[in-house]
Amino acid sequence: MTERLAMLAPLALPLLILLPLAWAALAFVLGTGRGSRLAIAAAAVQLMLAFALASAVMDGGPLHHAAGGWGAPLGIDLVADGLAAAMLLLTQAVALPLFIFARGYFHQDGARPDAAGHHFWPLAGFLVAGMNALYLSEDIFNLYVTLELVGLAAVGLVASGGGAAQTAAALRYLFAALLGSGAYLLGVALLYGAFGSVSMATLTPLIAGASASAGAGASEVALIAALLMMAGLLMKSALFPFHFWLPPAHGGAPAPVSALLSALVVKASIYLVLRLWLGPLAPLLTPLAWLPTLLGTAAILWGSWRAIHAERLKLLVAYSTVAQLGYLFLALPLVGVGSTGASASAILTLQALAHGLGKAAMFAAAGIIIHATGRDRVDDVAGIAERLPLTLFTFALAGVSLMGLPPSGGFLAKWLLIDLAMARGHWPLVAVILAGGLLAAIYIFRVLRLAFLNLPEAVIEAEHHKARVVPRSAEWMAFTLAAASVLLGLFGGLPLLQLVDGVGAGEGVTSGVTSGLVPGLTSGAVVGAP
């Protein structure tokens, strides 16, 4: 089996882009509402390819593929290192169960899908293809192109319901996406004009040299470009106070779309922030790390506060996303600093995976509850524990990861982040992480408390007559995502840290940080070291 995976690895780079493009185009040709079986089968193949790619990267280092046989600078290079492989795994691992969930959600009892499901499959295919291409791109201009493809597909998915509120949310999303992309592209143009290249490998030493040269004009241009690119990416990442477009877009879209957007799409921009922070823009951005950290702190506090007071269930989950995204910016002052333990970049990647799985499950569970009750108010979940026990358990299990309770992936990521912050003397970060977990517990237990309320018999009888059937496949796929977010903490933490640190970030993972939490690490041993 291992040998077969190794044989697939060289093909995985182009196939992870071409395969979703192919089935998305076929789904469009098949007609509205069709293509679900094709998408699910292809997503299973893509997950296998992502596993093969991650295994090859862990064993042999980064993989390269020259598209069309023409590498850089004339052609396009596809590169997969540990960080990219981890994000590719997240994308496929979330997409497959969500596609099965979407099939049950949109095609209930063999009926034709509603307006929201008409164009879901081709748009979802183009979205996944764009994300896969983004994680494999090596130059900053191709990153812009793929980011635009992801954004346009996401806007189409938000607007697919056709309602006035969804259209307004999609237009707001489009405005924010175009504004962010414009700023990023202007930064790319400035860097190309100053250094004559868009390759990150080429730009890294050039920008470092310009930054070290006092009075060099290229250094000022590079700084302006870096600020523009970061501002654009923070807008697309929905980091506070640029989050204005996220709650209506995620809260108003159909449940499968909300889950895709929250679990995957926002991670693309955050991935670029981390990639540029570790790569060519590191000399320029490192002194400014306190700014996104402050914004991340504000996002955790403000998003949690709004989630606690949200009246609509999906809006509660959407504001939770605003809060949880703040964690991914807290550790930027720690990125790239030498360590005897897990690097900040590896910990943030683990947090991104735990959040992606947990938030996809939570949005799916919220969608099932809304479908079953026909209402979207938080108060309307009262008594749902008796009717939908599996769905409520899914919501609670996803909440375990978001709150950072053991043994979930969210707990492991937050614990490692706290340990790293304490080792570096960043005590305010520890306080913010702990406060964020407590605030998350408040809005999650708010839903759980209502769900277990005992309703009068007359109300139960009336609700029974209005109840709509929930597909079992949708319930089980939501549970699968929630269970995966917990299993990530039990079994997936060490391999993920090895994948990102051993190859991607270049920093070792030792028992100094993970002793007692991640088994199998020996004192002083560096993962990936000879």
Side-chain angles (χ1 to χ4, degrees):
M1 186 64 179
T2 305
E3 294 179 357
R4 292 180 181 178
L5 289 177
M7 292 174 62
L8 282 175
L11 299 174
L13 278 76
L15 284 181
L16 281 171
I17 300 173
L18 296 176
L19 187 56
L21 283 177
W23 66 256
L26 284 174
F28 181 79
V29 171
L30 289 174
T32 57
R34 299 183 178 179
S36 58
R37 291 187 178 89
L38 179 64
I40 292 169
V45 176
Q46 290 164 208
L47 181 57
M48 180 178 63
L49 291 172
F51 270 114
L53 181 63
S55 177
V57 169
M58 185 176 290
D59 291 338
L63 297 180
H64 300 259
H65 176 82
W70 291 86
L74 297 178
I76 297 174
D77 273 339
L78 303 178
V79 180
D81 62 3
L83 181 58
M87 299 307 294
L88 286 168
L89 264 178
L90 170 65
T91 303
Q92 320 319 312
V94 169
L96 177 57
L98 271 185
F99 287 168
I100 301 174
F101 170 83
R103 174 172 169 76
Y105 187 89
F106 289 129
H107 301 262
Q108 297 167 33
D109 302 322
R112 291 182 61 83
D114 57 12
H118 280 175
H119 302 292
F120 175 81
W121 301 108
L123 286 173
F126 291 131
L127 177 73
V128 172
M131 296 198 68
N132 290 348
L134 184 146
Y135 295 136
L136 293 172
S137 295
E138 192 274 336
D139 69 68
I140 56 176
F141 180 74
N142 284 333
L143 289 172
Y144 160 77
V145 173
T146 55
L147 195 61
E148 280 298 275
L149 292 175
V150 171
L152 292 175
V155 169
L157 285 168
V158 173
S160 60
Q166 291 173 330
T167 302
L171 289 175
R172 183 181 297 184
Y173 187 2
L174 179 63
F175 170 76
L178 292 178
L179 188 63
S181 298
Y184 179 88
L185 182 60
L186 183 56
V188 172
L190 289 174
L191 288 181
Y192 182 74
F195 300 103
S197 177
V198 291
S199 168
M200 287 195 287
T202 303
L203 286 172
T204 298
L206 293 177
I207 293 177
S211 301
S213 303
S219 177
E220 285 75 12
V221 172
L223 179 59
I224 295 173
L227 294 176
L228 284 169
M229 294 168 76
M230 283 298 111
L233 292 175
L234 293 183
M235 171 73 75
K236 296 174 79 70
S237 301
L239 180 64
F240 180 91
F242 308 113
H243 68 288
F244 61 90
W245 59 267
L246 188 148
H250 291 199
V257 175
S258 300
L260 278 175
L261 297 180
S262 185
L264 299 181
V265 174
V266 292
K267 304 296 190 304
S269 303
I270 297 173
Y271 166 84
L272 291 189
V273 171
L274 185 57
R275 178 64 76 188
L276 294 173
W277 211 283
L278 289 168
L281 303 185
L284 305 169
L285 296 177
T286 300
L288 304 176
W290 58 270
L291 178 58
T293 300
L294 288 179
L295 297 180
T297 300
I300 292 172
L301 301 178
W302 175 252
S304 299
W305 178 259
R306 292 302 302 267
I308 290 170
H309 293 87
E311 295 183 355
R312 292 173 46 216
L313 181 59
K314 286 186 67 179
L315 202 58
L316 180 151
V317 184
Y319 274 112
S320 170
T321 299
V322 174
Q324 294 292 321
L325 291 178
Y327 287 104
L328 299 177
F329 292 91
L330 281 185
L332 286 181
L334 310 176
V335 169
V337 182
S339 173
T340 59
S343 70
S345 54
I347 296 170
L348 293 180
T349 305
L350 178 60
Q351 171 67 20
L353 265 71
H355 173 265
L357 294 168
K359 189 48 65 75
M362 185 169 283
F363 261 119
I368 292 172
I369 293 172
I370 294 168
H371 172 78
T373 62
R375 294 187 295 271
D376 188 21
R377 291 178 56 83
V378 175
D379 292 342
D380 293 327
V381 305
I384 204 69
E386 185 177 349
R387 290 173 53 191
L388 297 170
L390 179 60
T391 296
L392 186 65
F393 182 62
T394 296
F395 190 95
L397 204 59
V400 165
S401 187
L402 297 184
M403 289 184 285
L405 298 180
S408 64
F411 163 76
L412 180 59
K414 290 181 175 66
W415 179 268
L416 292 174
L417 189 56
I418 287 173
D419 191 278
L420 186 60
M422 289 193 298
R424 309 278 177 80
H426 291 268
W427 291 98
L429 296 185
V430 177
V432 172
I433 295 169
L434 295 176
L438 293 174
L439 291 171
I442 294 174
Y443 59 75
I444 290 170
F445 279 104
R446 175 191 172 197
V447 176
L448 299 179
R449 180 186 66 83
L450 289 171
F452 283 99
L453 287 179
N454 292 321
L455 298 178
E457 289 295 332
V459 176
I460 294 176
E461 185 66 22
E463 292 291 332
H464 178 73
H465 287 295
K466 293 187 297 183
R468 290 185 285 182
V469 177
V470 176
R472 296 296 291 176
S473 62
E475 283 198 280
W476 280 108
M477 286 303 103
F479 171 77
T480 299
L481 287 163
S485 69
V486 174
L487 293 175
L488 179 65
L490 287 172
F491 304 108
L494 174 60
L496 182 65
L497 294 174
Q498 289 176 329
L499 178 63
V500 178
D501 268 344
V503 179
E507 299 176 72
V509 182
T510 73
S511 61
V513 171
T514 55
S515 177
L517 293 172
V518 182
L521 293 176
T522 58
S523 178
V526 179
V527 173

